[in-house]
Amino acid sequence: MGLSTPGQAEIVSLDSNNIDDVLSKTCRFSQMLHPIFEEASNIVREEFPDTKQVVFARVDCDQHSDIAQRYRITKYPTLKLFRNGMMMKREYRGQRSVTAIADFIRQQQVDPVKELPSVEEINSVDRSKRNIVGFFENKDSDNYRTFQKVANILRDDCTFLAAFGEVSRSERFSGDNVVYKPMGEGIPDMVYLGSLTNFDLTYAWAQDKCVPLVREITFENGEELTEEGIPFLILFHLKEDTESLEKFQHEVARQLIGEKGSINFLHADCDKFRHPLLHIQKTPADCPVIAIDSFRHMYVFPDFKDLNVPGKLKQFVLDLHSGKLHREFHHGPDPTDSTPGQEETGGEAASSPPESSFQKLAPSETRYTILSRDRDEL
């Protein structure tokens, strides 16, 4: 500043009339990324000149807020990947450098389908992974092109394998065929019975198999899951406590399969998530614990032992959707509420929560513990 020459510095004068407009249009990180993104685009275009393979594009979200809202863009800059017109759940989170971005695109261009050269390899696929195996007469077919499109979209969730010609003949007794081989030995395969030329049906079937109903939330994928934009139903459990996880998975499948798409079913390691547990007055010693994260508050399921009570878990979720959990957080239990197991129980759940990010609970609000939303802590 001491060496600056009058008239050369580009300093904007702010006042009450322009400050909001200037600040809303200033994003240092977006400005820093712009030349990097542009150079990476030039490098990729040289390697993949066909615009049908890769397109780099940018959106000014100040000018096109409708697009930002459509794709739930809340921070800048954000790098999203689209395939076949569909936005991928996993956005680019790698290093913001020319080399890293170009390498990421190269990896995305690698064929996600591994060809099986022999019958022996078909019978020895890695059952520690979720595998979808296609059996085709040849590669040059609409059936295989649909399979390849699905594999490109779900490449991070499943292993896709394919056999052709003589290698696949024994599995093509009624034409081209696709099967899902679940994780674990001795579990029977599941055959796709729909039309392989129908992309939407094939994709829906594969997604149902590749993306488990109950997923694990970690520090690595927490933000990614948040960006899906729907609340969380989370089981906090000790890593070695597989029994509680199995019970939770069973009850979610039994009671809440119809809620898929309106709430995410997740499980989390109690030891890794000690800090969020402390916010709801729990420790790993209290696990297993079930809670709903609405992104505004966290509501704790009264008692894990009630998990297998018919309709109990479903009612907990329905109370979220109806606004009852939020309403009772602010105003206390509904006067007509007589749901068994949700009355005041005393003990830890009835004690006043600590200050910090917690909101103060009214004395009568003893059924749920609520965490004010601080996403950085998840």
Side-chain angles (χ1 to χ4, degrees):
M1 290 295 290
L3 297 176
S4 66
T5 303
Q8 292 184 345
E10 295 183 2
I11 298 176
V12 178
S13 295
L14 298 177
D15 56 39
S16 58
N17 295 320
N18 71 353
I19 185 169
D20 290 335
D21 185 58
V22 172
L23 293 180
S24 68
K25 294 179 180 178
T26 302
C27 178
R28 180 170 64 90
F29 296 108
S30 293
Q31 294 169 352
M32 290 169 60
L33 180 62
H34 177 73
I36 295 171
F37 190 70
E38 194 170 69
E39 187 176 347
S41 171
N42 292 334
I43 291 174
V44 171
R45 178 56 53 81
E46 290 180 3
E47 297 182 28
F48 307 100
D50 186 350
T51 55
K52 293 181 180 179
Q53 291 181 290
V54 183
V55 174
F56 275 69
R58 66 170 179 251
V59 177
D60 184 334
C61 291
D62 287 327
Q63 298 294 322
H64 303 284
S65 58
D66 57 326
I67 296 178
Q69 184 176 5
R70 177 180 176 183
Y71 295 109
R72 299 192 293 273
I73 307 300
T74 57
K75 61 186 186 303
Y76 309 102
T78 293
L79 297 179
K80 291 282 189 181
L81 178 69
F82 288 77
R83 285 187 177 279
N84 302 305
M86 297 176 62
M87 184 181 73
M88 300 296 95
K89 291 181 179 179
R90 294 174 178 84
E91 67 183 49
Y92 176 76
R93 301 182 185 279
Q95 186 178 357
R96 302 296 175 91
S97 70
V98 174
T99 300
I101 293 174
D103 283 345
F104 172 74
I105 296 300
R106 292 186 189 102
Q107 292 166 9
Q108 296 300 311
Q109 288 297 104
V110 174
D111 190 343
V113 182
K114 177 186 175 183
E115 183 172 348
L116 296 170
S118 66
V119 175
E120 289 73 28
E121 286 207 32
I122 295 175
N123 296 327
S124 61
V125 297
D126 185 356
R127 297 305 288 257
S128 67
K129 301 177 181 179
R130 295 180 178 87
N131 297 281
I132 291 188
V133 186
F135 302 95
F136 303 94
E137 185 175 356
N138 59 67
K139 288 186 178 181
D140 187 20
S141 67
D142 290 339
N143 286 348
Y144 180 66
R145 280 188 280 272
T146 298
F147 183 79
Q148 200 170 37
K149 283 177 65 177
V150 171
N152 262 312
I153 295 171
L154 296 172
R155 60 167 65 207
D156 295 326
D157 301 297
C158 263
T159 298
F160 286 83
L161 309 164
F164 304 92
E166 286 299 318
V167 177
S168 66
R169 181 182 292 277
S170 62
E171 298 290 336
R172 289 189 290 107
F173 45 85
S174 59
D176 291 347
N177 189 28
V178 172
V179 300
Y180 169 62
K181 294 180 178 292
M183 297 172 63
E185 299 296 334
I187 302 176
D189 296 345
M190 302 178 189
V191 180
Y192 174 60
L193 301 176
S195 169
L196 278 169
T197 57
N198 187 318
F199 168 78
D200 291 336
L201 283 178
T202 308
Y203 171 71
W205 178 84
Q207 184 187 43
D208 182 64
K209 303 299 179 286
C210 293
V211 181
L213 185 61
V214 179
R215 294 177 283 176
E216 182 177 12
I217 184 171
T218 65
F219 289 111
E220 290 72 28
N221 69 359
E223 187 175 3
E224 172 188 309
L225 290 169
T226 301
E227 287 166 355
E228 295 182 17
I230 55 178
F232 297 164
L233 177 68
I234 310 175
L235 167 70
F236 293 93
H237 67 105
L238 297 174
K239 187 175 182 180
E240 61 272 17
D241 181 14
T242 57
E243 182 180 352
S244 293
L245 176 57
E246 288 174 1
K247 287 181 180 178
F248 181 68
Q249 291 171 326
H250 176 75
E251 291 304 321
V252 166
R254 186 168 73 94
Q255 298 187 40
L256 297 173
I257 192 67
E259 296 295 323
K260 185 179 181 181
S262 67
I263 190 167
N264 268 325
F265 310 116
L266 307 170
H267 68 100
D269 186 328
C270 278
D271 286 319
K272 291 181 179 179
F273 284 85
R274 285 173 178 265
H275 193 57
L277 282 172
L278 286 175
H279 275 306
I280 54 174
Q281 299 180 297
K282 303 292 182 181
T283 71
D286 297 307
C287 290
V289 173
I290 296 173
I292 286 177
D293 182 350
S294 72
F295 302 164
R296 289 200 285 181
H297 308 300
M298 185 173 277
Y299 308 91
V300 180
F301 187 67
D303 193 337
F304 181 81
K305 294 177 182 177
D306 291 336
L307 178 63
N308 60 353
V309 175
K312 188 80 169 184
L313 188 63
K314 183 173 183 178
Q315 189 60 54
F316 185 50
V317 172
L318 293 178
D319 286 347
L320 169 74
H321 293 326
S322 70
K324 180 179 178 181
L325 296 184
H326 185 78
R327 181 175 66 251
E328 292 190 339
F329 165 55
H330 289 287
H331 304 292
D334 288 350
T336 58
D337 186 3
S338 59
T339 305
Q342 292 190 355
E343 291 81 16
E344 178 173 337
T345 57
E348 183 178 19
S351 62
S352 297
E355 296 295 333
S356 73
S357 63
F358 269 90
Q359 294 186 355
K360 203 78 171 178
L361 294 182
S364 62
E365 291 174 27
T366 57
R367 293 179 301 153
Y368 302 108
T369 306
I370 293 89
L371 169 65
S372 294
R373 185 70 264 123
D374 186 350
R375 177 57 52 192
D376 290 340
E377 292 173 351
L378 278 180

